[in-house]
Amino acid sequence: MTNLHTVFEKTRADRRAALIGYLPAGFPTKDGAVAAATAMVEAGCDVIEIGLPYSDPLMDGPTIQDAVHRALTNGTRIADVMRTVEGVAASGAAVLVMTYWNPVDRYGAERFARELADAGGAGVITPDLTPEEAGPWREAAASAGLGTVFLVAPSSTDERIRAVADCCTGFVYAASLMGVTGARTSVSAAAEGLVKRTKAHTDLPVCVGLGVGTGSQAAEVAAYADGVIVGSAFIRRILDAADESEGLTAVRALAEELATGVRTRPET
């Protein structure tokens, strides 16, 4: 297993941001998710987020909703998520699960954490779990050696940012805008200020997600963030492909473009 500390230690030494890619388990198929995520790693992703498909994706835009619906239609369950993590972890990347809290709560936090660690997972992102209710999960994750990742948003007060950051052990996820996921023509101007405010309260890496979909956008965000998170743009490449083979070629090309972006240092 590659852990998050090792990833960010390396990217800091390389004087660049980490590239974090997202795909839901079971999309476009159960085996196809492993193949696509592995291609993303081979083309430059440092970390992969594997989404746990959920029927009520609160913060996901239409592109991810489409992919998650297909994953659920494919019969994807938590056991399949664990198998996906195991398959992608074999690539050498750090692998996280991104999930809403209800499936973990119903499955059992300790059981989920233990099985994820056994599969080679490095941590979990829980976008709808609040600091006030995170105690049991933080304990389960710590016992299993998993990193915890929670979200801050442009609307977060400094007090709230501090509370969220105190719950994190992997990195802090800075949502660049108030809204749902999806690639956009430009990254929210609020993102840089949010990263700056968050860094005032933690020494952990701060990574930006929501809205990044091109190499130039990745370079823009990499100038001030420790990591760049991309999901919808990868999914869109697969959705638009004629078949899985074409989809693999497309996500590999996008990962290469984004990897170049996070390695582009701004002119001084």
Side-chain angles (χ1 to χ4, degrees):
M1 183 192 84
T2 301
N3 62 39
L4 293 169
H5 176 75
T6 299
V7 170
F8 287 106
E9 192 174 59
K10 181 180 186 303
T11 57
R12 279 194 297 268
D14 292 343
R15 302 180 67 197
R16 66 173 179 88
L19 177 58
I20 303 171
Y22 165 90
L23 279 181
F27 172 79
T29 61
K30 294 175 184 179
D31 290 339
V34 175
T38 299
M40 290 157 59
V41 173
E42 292 171 349
C45 284
D46 303 287
V47 179
I48 296 292
E49 298 175 16
I50 296 299
L52 193 158
Y54 185 49
S55 59
D56 188 19
L58 303 175
M59 69 174 282
D60 295 331
T63 299
I64 292 181
Q65 286 184 26
D66 190 352
V68 166
H69 174 73
R70 296 186 188 207
L72 291 171
T73 300
N74 288 337
T76 305
R77 300 291 184 265
I78 288 179
D80 299 306
V81 173
M82 299 301 178
R83 283 191 287 269
T84 303
V85 169
E86 185 173 25
V88 179
S91 70
V95 184
L96 306 174
V97 166
M98 185 164 188
T99 178
Y100 297 101
W101 178 241
N102 188 55
V104 178
D105 189 37
R106 290 180 63 84
Y107 196 72
E110 292 183 3
R111 177 188 176 193
F112 188 91
R114 182 178 63 252
E115 291 184 7
L116 179 57
D118 288 345
V124 179
I125 302 170
T126 46
D128 63 340
L129 184 60
T130 64
E132 293 81 5
E133 299 177 339
W137 170 243
R138 292 173 66 191
E139 291 178 10
S143 295
L146 299 174
T148 52
V149 180
F150 295 82
L151 276 69
V152 295
S155 61
S156 300
T157 64
D158 286 347
E159 181 180 7
R160 193 64 179 174
I161 289 174
R162 184 184 304 111
V164 171
D166 285 347
C167 291
C168 298
T169 61
F171 61 86
V172 182
Y173 189 128
S176 67
L177 47 82
M178 301 300 296
V180 296
T181 60
R184 291 167 169 82
T185 56
S186 63
V187 179
S188 169
E192 185 171 2
L194 177 59
V195 170
K196 183 176 181 181
R197 289 199 295 135
T198 304
K199 283 181 171 291
H201 298 291
T202 183
D203 293 327
L204 287 171
V206 181
C207 303
V208 170
L210 277 66
V212 179
T214 67
S216 60
Q217 290 172 338
E220 176 188 344
V221 174
Y224 57 80
D226 300 297
V228 179
I229 303 169
V230 181
S232 295
F234 281 118
I235 290 171
R236 176 49 56 193
R237 295 294 179 99
I238 295 173
L239 289 171
D240 290 344
D243 53 38
E244 283 194 31
S245 177
E246 185 177 300
L248 285 177
T249 299
V251 296
R252 189 183 297 274
L254 178 58
E256 289 174 349
E257 176 187 340
L258 295 165
T260 298
V262 300
R263 290 166 171 77
T264 301
R265 295 184 55 76
E267 294 183 7
T268 57

